[in-house]
């Protein structure tokens, strides 16, 4: 059984040599030389410095990745200059996420020959250390690696050596929502290398930020589930020496619940993570289905800006008005950043107070503590072993997961106020009192809609925002 142990240096070196042999560009990775490169980066390109030193207002960061290096440089420069993004992404392509470097390389060559974007992201492993550094050198803002890779070891080795100083994902958040290929034991072991590598850089004076992917499946994920999983990944990273951890949360759409969740996540992060870890938070604007037309898409983006303006997370992951279409243009992506900033800044200056937010925050914190207690108990105090066992038993679970590592036996639905509750609990480790709150709130909605609380309610809620609503109410004819 996997355990939450710190990888010894000799084991890190051994794994590193094997990982770098997976693709020819790995041979150019030289840790000592990479440390020297990082030390020469100007302060405004250092991710942790920018994130942790500027906490008086949220920093904005989009998603963005195209295959060719020159195009990626131009894209990020546009998002920085025209969108005003303080932090920049490099979103990795799907072939790289599946470790299919040969396929990624073939499509990259096609992109170079035709000028077409034949990949849905930037194939960083194929570009290698030199290509990543050319990108870092050309852009005047810190860059984060955003991907979705269950086995991200080579990607981490190449991009961190290339000068990037923030790496998204983790063994749960990049397994459970994305794949059925790997067990949790496998991905925890893979990410122990990623986190230990980040810790090794940190110990040499090059702090690497790690960011669990909070939205998970992106579809009505209850806040207590998302926060618990981010805390677990933060703890696993801290064991390996990571000292800058950004906990992630995906918007559910009810302002009170979202603000409460973001505040709870910060409180719980500071409670559970070691005192020498700096905890920051990131808010992902709605990750579910978007309305197909631009005007309504801006409405969703605006709601995210309002929520962020009240909650004041450290960072916001923005969305574009072309989300329903596919990969956005640079112009649309920049417009989404500006729209988010406009609503966020206007709300930030108003000192908005929300009724019931303290009660909702307390409820979320209590629910998370119940889940964390169950994970620790399942592992006899070992968070890694406990995570595997908790998922096996269903004490920890994620809705709508494709992974066989999760039971997928929980179902969410919105209550009469639009907050995400649990309709079906499976074996989720929450108390009877906590479960009763969920049931009562959903029963109230069912009564108001003159129907039973059932899977029909779940399906209606999944489609609601793309259909122009928050709650999937039935029509009069459907009652």
């Amino acid at each position: 059984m996997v355990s939450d142990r710190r990888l010894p240096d000799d084991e890190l070196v051994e794994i590193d040599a094997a990982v770098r042999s997976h693709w020819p560009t790995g041979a150019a990775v030289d840790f000592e030389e990479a440390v020297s490169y990082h030390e020469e980066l100007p302060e405004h390109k250092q991710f942790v410095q920018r994130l942790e030193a500027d906490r008086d207002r949220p920093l904005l960061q989009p998603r963005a990745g195209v295959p060719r290096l020159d195009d990626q440089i131009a894209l990020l420069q546009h998002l920085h200059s025209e969108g005003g993004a303080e932090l920049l992404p490099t979103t990795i392509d799907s072939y790289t996420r599946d470790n299919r470097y040969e396929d990624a390389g073939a499509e990259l060559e096609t992109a170079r020959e035709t000028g077409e974007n034949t990949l849905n992201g930037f194939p960083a492993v194929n570009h290698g250390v030199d290509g990543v550094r050319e990108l870092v050198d050309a852009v005047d803002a810190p860059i984060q690696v955003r991907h979705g890779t269950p086995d991200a070891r080579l990607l981490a080795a190449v991009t961190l050596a290339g000068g990037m100083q923030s790496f998204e994902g983790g063994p749960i958040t990049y397994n459970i929502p994305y794949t059925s290929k790997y067990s949790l034991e496998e991905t925890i072991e893979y990410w122990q290398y990623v986190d230990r590598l980040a810790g090794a850089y940190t110990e040499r004076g090059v702090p690497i930020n790690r960011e669990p992917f909070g939205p998970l499946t992106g579809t009505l994920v209850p806040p207590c589930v998302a926060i618990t999983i981010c805390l677990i990944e933060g703890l696993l990273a801290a064991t390996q020496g990571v000292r800058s951890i950004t906990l992630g949360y995906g918007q559910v759409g009810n302002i009170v619940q979202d603000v409460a969740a973001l505040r709870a996540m910060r409180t719980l992060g500071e409670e559970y993570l070691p005192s020498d870890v700096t905890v920051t938070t990131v808010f992902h604007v709605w990750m579910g289905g978007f309305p197909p037309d631009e005007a309504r898409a801006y409405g969703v983006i605006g709601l995210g800006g309002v929520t962020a303006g009240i909650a004041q997370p450290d960072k916001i992951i923005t969305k574009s008005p072309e989300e329903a279409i596919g990969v956005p243009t640079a112009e649309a992506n920049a417009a989404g950043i500006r729209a988010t900033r406009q609503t966020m800044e206007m709300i930030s200056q108003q000192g908005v107070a929300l009724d019931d937010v303290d009660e909702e925050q307390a409820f979320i914190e209590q629910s998370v503590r119940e889940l964390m207690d169950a994970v620790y108990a399942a592992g006899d105090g070992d968070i890694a072993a406990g995570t595997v066992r908790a998922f096996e038993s269903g004490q920890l679970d994620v809705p709508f997961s494709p992974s066989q590592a999760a039971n997928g036996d929980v179902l969410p639905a919105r209550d009469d106020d639009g907050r995400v509750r649990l309709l079906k609990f499976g074996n989720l480790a929450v108390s009877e009192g906590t479960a009763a709150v969920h049931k009562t709130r959903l029963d109230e909605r069912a009564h108001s809609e003159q129907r039973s609380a059932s899977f029909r309610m779940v399906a209606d809620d999944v489609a609601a925002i793309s259909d122009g609503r928050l709650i999937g109410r039935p029509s009069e004819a459907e009652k």
Side-chain angles (χ1 to χ4, degrees):
M1 173 64 71
V2 68
S3 64
D4 184 30
R5 65 183 184 91
R6 183 167 176 150
L7 292 183
D9 290 346
D10 58 344
E11 189 173 343
L12 175 64
V13 170
E14 181 180 348
I15 297 171
D16 186 69
V19 165
R20 290 189 292 106
S21 71
H22 291 174
W23 191 251
T25 55
V29 174
D30 182 322
F31 178 77
E32 294 296 334
E33 187 274 337
V35 169
S36 298
Y37 174 80
H38 279 276
E39 290 174 340
E40 296 300 318
L41 287 176
E43 189 172 286
H44 69 275
K45 295 190 180 187
Q46 296 173 19
F47 198 97
V48 171
Q49 171 66 23
R50 186 73 174 93
L51 176 65
E52 296 180 1
D54 191 1
R55 301 182 71 174
D56 58 338
R57 69 186 183 100
L59 303 177
L60 270 57
Q61 177 183 328
R63 292 176 175 83
V66 291
R68 290 171 296 170
L69 178 57
D70 288 348
D71 290 347
Q72 181 70 4
I73 291 171
L75 174 58
L76 295 191
Q77 289 175 337
H78 182 87
L79 296 174
H80 181 53
S81 63
E82 301 302 317
E86 294 98 344
L87 301 172
L88 293 169
T90 285
T91 303
I92 304 302
D93 68 285
S94 295
Y95 281 137
T96 300
R97 297 175 207 174
D98 287 337
N99 311 113
R100 294 169 59 182
Y101 309 122
E102 185 171 353
D103 291 330
E107 293 299 331
L108 175 59
E109 287 305 311
T110 301
R112 287 167 172 163
E113 292 168 2
T114 65
E116 299 294 326
N117 287 334
T118 54
L119 292 166
N120 63 347
F122 183 77
V125 170
N126 295 83
H127 284 289
V129 173
D130 288 344
V132 173
R133 287 187 182 177
E134 190 173 340
L135 176 61
V136 170
D137 290 342
V139 178
D140 280 330
I143 303 175
Q144 180 186 50
V145 188
R146 305 192 70 87
H147 49 117
T149 313
D151 179 4
R153 293 175 296 174
L154 182 57
L155 178 63
V158 169
T159 54
L160 297 185
M164 295 187 181
Q165 295 183 351
S166 180
F167 201 80
E168 187 194 33
I172 310 168
T173 60
Y174 274 0
N175 178 336
I176 298 298
Y178 282 95
T179 183
S180 60
K181 182 178 178 181
Y182 299 97
S183 70
L184 268 179
E185 285 193 75
E186 288 176 304
T187 52
I188 288 173
E189 289 182 348
Y190 295 156
W191 281 82
Q192 284 178 331
Y193 164 83
V194 172
D195 287 330
R196 186 68 200 103
L197 182 62
Y201 276 104
T202 299
E203 290 154 12
R204 293 294 299 274
V206 181
I208 303 296
N209 171 260
R210 287 279 295 104
E211 181 188 311
F213 179 64
L216 295 168
T217 50
T219 306
L220 303 181
V221 177
C224 64
V225 170
I227 294 171
T228 298
I229 289 172
C230 284
L231 288 175
I232 292 169
E233 289 195 347
L235 288 164
L236 293 172
T239 295
Q240 304 301 331
V242 175
R243 294 296 175 260
S244 175
I245 295 173
T246 302
L247 303 176
Y249 172 77
Q251 179 184 14
V252 301
N254 174 278
I255 295 176
V256 170
Q257 188 174 41
D258 283 331
V259 171
L262 284 162
R263 292 175 179 173
M265 186 166 64
R266 188 184 298 278
T267 298
L268 292 164
E270 292 173 352
E271 175 183 330
Y272 278 91
L273 294 179
S275 59
D276 58 353
V277 170
T278 299
V279 177
T280 50
T281 59
V282 56
F283 175 61
H284 295 250
V285 174
W286 178 247
M287 291 287 291
F290 253 68
D293 66 281
E294 185 177 284
R296 290 193 294 149
Y298 274 120
V300 177
I301 291 168
L303 181 62
V306 168
T307 303
I310 299 170
Q312 294 290 297
D314 296 293
K315 186 172 77 166
I316 307 168
I317 303 297
T318 61
K319 286 287 193 149
S320 88
E322 295 181 349
E323 291 298 324
I325 300 170
V327 178
T329 63
E331 292 75 17
N333 210 341
I337 301 169
R338 295 194 303 269
T340 303
R341 185 181 305 283
Q342 179 74 22
T343 51
M344 179 189 75
E345 294 288 1
M346 290 192 297
I347 289 294
S348 296
Q349 296 175 0
Q350 297 185 41
V352 175
L354 299 173
D355 292 339
D356 197 31
V357 71
D358 291 340
E359 292 83 353
E360 184 70 23
Q361 179 179 342
F363 179 66
I364 292 169
E365 289 179 10
Q366 176 61 31
S367 304
V368 170
R369 291 190 181 99
E370 291 170 1
L371 293 172
M372 290 295 293
D373 287 349
V375 173
Y376 275 116
D380 295 323
D382 186 294
I383 196 71
T387 297
V388 173
R389 291 172 180 151
F391 269 104
E392 287 175 346
S393 66
Q395 291 178 292
L396 196 55
D397 205 353
V398 175
F400 312 116
S401 168
S403 175
Q404 295 181 9
N407 287 0
D409 202 28
V410 295
L411 279 178
R414 294 190 185 277
D415 65 17
D416 215 29
D417 195 32
R419 305 181 201 189
V420 173
R421 306 299 184 190
L422 282 163
L423 174 67
K424 182 181 179 185
F425 292 88
N427 198 35
L428 198 69
V430 293
S431 67
E432 290 183 4
T434 296
V437 173
H438 288 267
K439 184 177 187 304
T440 298
R441 295 299 297 267
L442 290 177
D443 284 347
E444 289 171 354
R445 175 184 168 185
H447 177 75
S448 71
E449 295 179 353
Q450 301 176 35
R451 62 171 171 171
S452 62
S454 66
F455 182 77
R456 181 68 258 170
M457 191 180 285
V458 178
D460 290 344
D461 287 343
V462 168
I465 286 182
S466 61
D467 289 341
R469 302 168 292 166
L470 177 65
I471 305 169
R473 305 282 192 194
S475 66
E476 289 298 321
E478 293 171 326
K479 289 183 179 180

